[in-house]
Each structure stands twice: as structure tokens, then as C-alpha cells.
Amino acid sequence: MKKTILITGSSTGIGKETAIYFANKGWNVAASMRNPSKAGNEFNHTNIKIIQVDVLNEQQIKAGIAECIDVFGGIDVVFNNAGYALVGAFEAMTDEQIRKQFDTNVFGVMNVTRAILPYFRGKNEGIIINTSSMGGLITFPLYSVYHGTKWALEGFMESLQFELKGKNIRIKNIEPGAIKTDFENSLTFVSNDDYKDYAPRVHQNMLDTYKTAPGADIVAKRVFEAANDSGSSLRYPVGGLAPVLLFLRRILPGSWFRSIVSMSTEK
Ligand SMILES: NC(=O)c1ccc[n+]([C@@H]2O[C@H](COP(=O)([O-])OP(=O)(O)OC[C@H]3O[C@@H](n4cnc5c(N)ncnc54)[C@H](OP(=O)(O)O)[C@@H]3O)[C@@H](O)[C@H]2O)c1
């Protein structure tokens, strides 16, 4: 029987690539996006249904889940992918910007998760996959608030998997390194005079890592692997330097690891 995945933030990048990858693999795909008019021709696929969901809108989330079940007869996997980065000097960020960052990357994921759990509990199975980041386990300069959201996501999901295990609902976090998507364009960079000798230079160093970054196709494959993994693995690093950096972070003393980060990003 054909399986079904519901994806958030499918209009571009990792979400879009994953939607098309799963559809080509024969899955039903509910490709949700907050603005369906952004969907390009690639979404003209018999296995794809576009659904309007802003992850900050609980009514749209409920309606999107119901529509997916109605069209495809069920949901096997939810992929919490929508997100963006607020980057720059913390002191230059407004309260509104910080709250929007947490709303989207943390509360958006909680909204979708809360909405799907009764359905997954009802059928006594389900998989929740999240686009976390290697930045959910390690940090870089200028990403303090973004890291705050992804570390929150990692902690939230790692704890949640305990209470869901007995209900046969599994959690899987995808942890990409730098990946070439619209991420660079959708990020918000902020600075001020107090950080003018630091923030623009370091930000540019960070952006430079995207020049050689792999495309979203490798993340889509990793999501597919996670969706088909019958085991209980929680973390799936992928792309760029993610597997290497996460390994180094585990084996090196924290101060050594932070020195390596400083040397490579603050030069
Ligand atoms: N690219 C990287 O290097 C990288 C690395 C690690 C983790 N990630 C994570 O990967 C995920 C996807 O990012 P990406 O790289 O694919 O960037 P992207 O191309 O900018 O895609 C972000 C997606 O999130 C959607 N989105 C933002 N706010 C939303 C909301 N309130 N409701 C619904 N959708 C919303 C965007 O929709 P619109 O088109 O409507 O704006 C877009 O579809 C994010 O969670 C990001 O943190 C990315």
C-alpha cells in the first residue's frame, strides 16, 4: 500500500526537493506551503497534492491534516521542515524578530506535532521527522538565536520520543550542515554600529561556506532513509561538514572545538 508524507515548508529548498523525491519514489505527498501560488511546475505530479499551511496558523494545520487524510486516506509520516534563520548580533535584534524566529522554528513544529499526535495515537503508529540542523548540537558565531531554536527543537524532540515510544510513534531529526537552498536569501541579517567591525565580516565568512555546499537532494535522500528506517535512531546528520563536525564535537574538549570554530569563522 502506498505511503503518505505531509511536509511543511515545501515551496523551496529542502521541503521542495523532498516532496519531489518522495513522489518519484511512489509515495503520496501532501506538499504544504503557506503560499501555494509559489509552487512551480515540478509539483505537477500525480502523487503530489499541494496544501496551504502556515505553521503559525493552527486552523490551517488542522485543515491541512484533514485534507491530506481525505485525499490520500491517511498519513504515515509528518515532516516538520518549515524554518528560516535570524542571524547577526544579538543586541541588534528586536524582540519581535526573536519571537518570530522562535514562533516559526519551535512553536510551528510544536503546533504541527500537537495536531498530528491524536491521529498517530489513534492508529498506533507514525513517524515525525524534523529538519533540525547540525546547529542544533553545535554553534557558530552570529547564529545565537537560530541555535537557540534548533537546540530547543533537539531537546524537545529527544525528550518527546520517550513518551511516544510506547505508542509506536517515532521521532527522527535530520541534521544538515550547510546546504544550498533559498536559506541564504530567506535569512534575516542584523547588525549595528557596536558590531560593525565584527558582524558583517564574520557573516560573510559564514556565507562563504555555502559556495561549496551540496544541494538539497542529499537531504531529501536522508529524509527518505529516515522515513523507511524501522529502527529507533533519532539523529541523521547529513551534508557539508555535519557528520565530521558532530563527531569532532563529541570527541574533543569543548574549548578545543570552540577554538576551531573561532579560527575558521572569525578570521
Ligand atoms: N540550508 C541550510 O543550510 C540548512 C541547514 C540546516 C538546517 N536547515 C533547515 O532546513 C529547513 C528548510 O530550510 P531550507 O534550507 O530549505 O530554506 P528555504 O529554501 O528558505 O526553505 C524554507 C521553507 O520554510 C518555509 N516557511 C518559513 N516560514 C514558514 C511558515 N510560517 N509556515 C510555513 N512555511 C514556512 C518557507 O516558505 P516561504 O517560501 O513561504 O517563505 C520555505 O518553504 C529550515 O528549518 C532550516 O532551518 C537549513
Side-chain angles (χ1 to χ4, degrees):
M1 173 144 164
K2 243 169 141 176
K3 288 195 168 180
T4 301
I5 184 168
L6 186 154
I7 303 174
T8 67
S10 301
S11 60
T12 58
I14 291 168
K16 177 178 173 176
E17 199 71 30
T18 304
I20 293 159
Y21 190 84
F22 272 70
N24 287 338
K25 288 282 186 186
W27 281 53
N28 296 317
V29 177
S32 85
M33 54 191 82
R34 55 183 169 178
N35 183 0
S37 68
K38 278 182 94 170
N41 289 338
E42 306 94 315
F43 287 91
N44 293 333
H45 194 298
T46 47
N47 291 340
I48 297 181
K49 167 82 184 161
I50 292 168
I51 286 176
Q52 182 170 27
V53 175
D54 182 326
V55 297
L56 305 184
N57 183 326
E58 296 196 42
Q59 282 309 107
Q60 280 187 5
I61 294 169
K62 275 191 193 145
I65 288 172
E67 194 178 346
C68 180
I69 294 170
D70 188 42
V71 171
F72 293 128
I75 302 176
D76 299 284
V77 177
V78 163
F79 181 28
N80 284 311
N81 167 72
Y84 74 98
L86 171 63
V87 180
F90 170 67
E91 279 192 84
M93 294 171 185
T94 64
D95 186 58
E96 193 186 352
Q97 286 173 320
I98 294 169
R99 283 180 193 280
K100 187 177 162 210
Q101 174 75 137
F102 271 86
D103 275 344
T104 307
N105 292 8
V106 180
F107 291 100
V109 172
M110 288 183 177
N111 290 340
V112 174
T113 302
R114 187 189 293 113
I116 197 65
L117 282 179
Y119 171 76
F120 279 170
R121 276 193 293 101
K123 62 182 223 158
N124 197 36
E125 70 175 338
I127 299 180
I128 297 170
I129 305 180
N130 309 289
T131 310
S132 174
S133 169
M134 69 173 172
L137 297 165
I138 58 176
T139 64
F140 299 95
L142 300 180
Y143 282 68
S144 59
V145 172
Y146 177 74
H147 286 307
T149 67
K150 295 295 184 181
W151 282 54
L153 181 62
E154 285 286 340
F156 167 58
M157 287 294 172
E158 183 174 311
S159 174
L160 187 63
Q161 58 84 32
F162 290 111
E163 72 205 52
L164 297 181
K165 219 168 23 189
K167 304 191 182 304
N168 201 26
I169 301 168
R170 286 173 299 135
I171 306 259
K172 290 170 179 303
N173 288 349
I174 308 296
E175 287 148 353
I179 304 291
K180 233 179 178 2
T181 61
D182 277 8
F183 195 63
E184 288 168 79
N185 309 322
S186 63
L187 66 74
T188 305
F189 171 71
V190 291
S191 186
N192 64 19
D193 265 6
D194 297 316
Y195 292 88
K196 67 178 186 311
D197 298 328
Y198 179 84
R201 170 173 51 84
V202 175
H203 180 50
Q204 190 53 53
N205 290 341
M206 292 294 296
L207 287 184
D208 286 347
T209 62
Y210 286 92
K211 285 183 187 153
T212 53
D217 53 319
I218 60 164
V219 185
K221 284 186 192 137
R222 198 75 164 128
V223 178
F224 193 74
E225 196 186 312
N228 288 288
D229 183 349
S230 56
S232 57
S233 295
L234 174 64
R235 299 200 157 94
Y236 297 75
V238 57
L241 293 172
V244 172
L245 287 176
L246 292 175
F247 174 70
L248 287 177
R249 178 65 190 89
R250 278 200 303 276
I251 61 165
L252 292 179
S255 59
W256 290 20
F257 186 79
R258 288 193 298 279
S259 294
I260 295 172
V261 171
S262 273
M263 276 189 301
S264 51
T265 58
E266 296 180 308
K267 54 191 184 246

